[in-house]
Amino acid sequence: MEIEPEDEGYHRHQPNRLGEMAYHNMKERLIRGAFSPGAKLTIRAVSDMLHVSTTPARDAINRLVIDGALVYSGPKTVIVPHLRLSDLEEITQMRLALEGLAAALSVKAASEATIEELELLQAKIDGALDERRYFDALWHNKEFHFAIYRLSGMPYLLQVIETLWLRVGASFNGLYPEFSETRHGARNHRAAIEALVEKDAAAARAAIENDIRDGFRQMKKISADRDQRNLSRR
Amino acid sequence: MEIEPEDEGYHRHQPNRLGEMAYHNMKERLIRGAFSPGAKLTIRAVSDMLHVSTTPARDAINRLVIDGALVYSGPKTVIVPHLRLSDLEEITQMRLALEGLAAALSVKAASEATIEELELLQAKIDGALDERRYFDALWHNKEFHFAIYRLSGMPYLLQVIETLWLRVGASFNGLYPEFSETRHGARNHRAAIEALVEKDAAAARAAIENDIRDGFRQMKKISADRDQRNLSRR
DNA sequence: CGTGTTTTTTTGTTGCAACAAAAATGTGAA
DNA sequence: TTCACATTTTTGTTGCAACAAAAAAACACG
């Protein structure tokens, strides 16, 4: 590894302590599906929920709106958005481009230790699925993906990808257990690990892209079924 | 122009009026290079500059930090960052993936009107270069690119791309006039227009990617020369 | 002249209240 | 019930002040 000639490295302090805390707390709740699409979030509600004043609560909500994890349904009303098919398609396109890139870049930093880590994570996914712990399965799936992407060494890229996951995560946690049960990822994950072992960038990209595409088809199908059911039940 | 079939379209109101204004105002100033890398920005300074209170000024600064257009150099100090080569490389990789995607998607929406618009913009670029109005040239160059990307019909994609431009823009406005003078973009832009006319997605992507790569090489070279000069002058 | 130390000034964060505007609720007529 | 309108409640925005902490300035010593 080369030594960077001028790595000034901007200080990674953590100002805005309460606001940052509120943001991460709410982000976590959203990813875990604590709020259903359509749920209204107000500054004062968040402020009470997290026992902070309105200022950090406002900071958190504003930032989540910027991320697209929350959305204005009126001038003074932010809600958890209903993900439309067009949104899902746009996000999927971006995921293919960005996560494909991250996967391709990851192979050069792959080591035996990282391979082992990935094997372990995949075992956790399989185990969780066997025991019908669907939530854990999805969680470990995320860890698996980001363990690979982290190898790219591109922090900003990782940040953008994480925001994309946040956007779909908030809306698609309602898809249990059909979505998790499909095990669509296992084969693609095996292929990804194999590609890392052989340091084959193109294969790694292909494996991740397949995984994303398979997931997209699943989501689309399940979501369409739901809509159908909701429609006919009216 | 087609009518969108199911555009429920979350209300596009504009809350946070002063904060939004402050953000866009500062963004504009940064893209135009009003602040040199290393310049310190404080809440109260921005608040005075824009004649608003501290709250919207704080909102604007925080958001620019999230964008990566500003950076903490200490717990209580935000500055315009010096772009390191590794940063530039990461951003360029992401630009290739995302702007390549946008360009490929743009062909299906290309019409005669948009072709005319692009021709006009290219003429403006050339004209500005002829008259050594380098700033205008760069500005119209941005318009040219985003006129294409807008055709993709993906608003969030556009937003992310714009943030990438903001990050490099703030630091590389100091590269006048060498950078603008090179006219590296003309051939690539012609190729892009041609691709849109023939609705050739692959060609459009290739043209844009070439443009980005050429620009990256230029920036890298000029920036390296500068560093060399600064180093030897010490 | 640097260099470490102390003092002064500046700065971001946080909480809060006032206000206008929007959302929710209530009311009544068809 | 359904719809339009009036009333009440809720809500985001904005400005501001107190405070601790950090940055800058002043200073002293070598």
Side-chain angles (χ1 to χ4, degrees), chain B residues 44-234:
Chain B
R44 286 163 176 91
V46 171
S47 139
D48 289 349
M49 195 182 304
L50 307 184
H51 302 98
V52 294
S53 85
T54 57
T55 307
R58 191 177 100 100
D59 287 349
I61 289 186
N62 280 341
R63 191 157 162 194
L64 289 166
V65 169
I66 294 170
D67 288 346
L70 297 178
V71 133
Y72 283 90
S73 74
K76 292 199 166 182
T77 329
V78 297
I79 62 171
V80 180
H82 297 268
L83 210 61
R84 289 167 300 174
L85 184 59
S86 64
D87 294 327
L88 184 58
E89 276 168 350
E90 175 173 5
I91 295 171
T92 301
Q93 292 266 30
M94 293 179 70
R95 287 189 58 200
L96 286 168
L98 257 23
E99 297 179 37
L101 170 62
L105 292 170
S106 71
V107 298
K108 67 174 190 307
S111 69
E112 286 200 21
T114 58
I115 302 294
E116 271 180 41
E117 185 193 353
L118 290 174
E119 301 272 18
L120 181 65
L121 284 171
Q122 184 57 40
K124 282 186 182 172
I125 295 174
D126 292 336
L129 244 32
D130 286 340
E131 300 170 20
R132 299 183 191 284
R133 290 180 286 108
Y134 301 116
F135 181 82
D136 291 347
L138 230 50
W139 183 253
H140 290 132
N141 180 60
K142 185 191 172 188
E143 289 189 301
F144 182 92
H145 277 261
F146 280 85
I148 295 179
Y149 305 154
R150 243 189 305 279
L151 299 176
S152 72
M154 297 201 170
Y156 189 67
L157 174 61
L158 230 71
Q159 191 182 311
V160 175
I161 293 176
E162 195 161 25
T163 301
L164 294 174
W165 280 63
L166 172 63
R167 289 193 65 190
V168 305
S171 273
F172 274 83
N173 265 286
L175 295 187
Y176 289 106
E178 302 106 300
F179 182 64
S180 298
E181 185 50 66
T182 56
R183 290 178 191 257
H184 70 275
R187 179 168 38 199
N188 296 320
H189 286 195
R190 293 275 164 231
I193 293 177
E194 191 63 25
L196 288 198
V197 170
E198 307 193 352
K199 294 195 177 292
D200 182 342
R205 179 194 287 270
I208 291 300
E209 287 185 352
N210 273 332
D211 198 41
I212 294 172
R213 262 190 274 264
D214 287 349
F216 172 66
R217 283 194 209 97
Q218 277 296 328
M219 280 187 169
K220 196 168 153 185
K221 187 171 169 303
I222 297 173
S223 150
D225 289 353
R226 290 252 165 136
D227 291 351
Q228 191 63 38
R229 223 180 310 153
N230 289 345
L231 217 63
S232 64
R233 200 172 46 195
R234 244 179 219 196

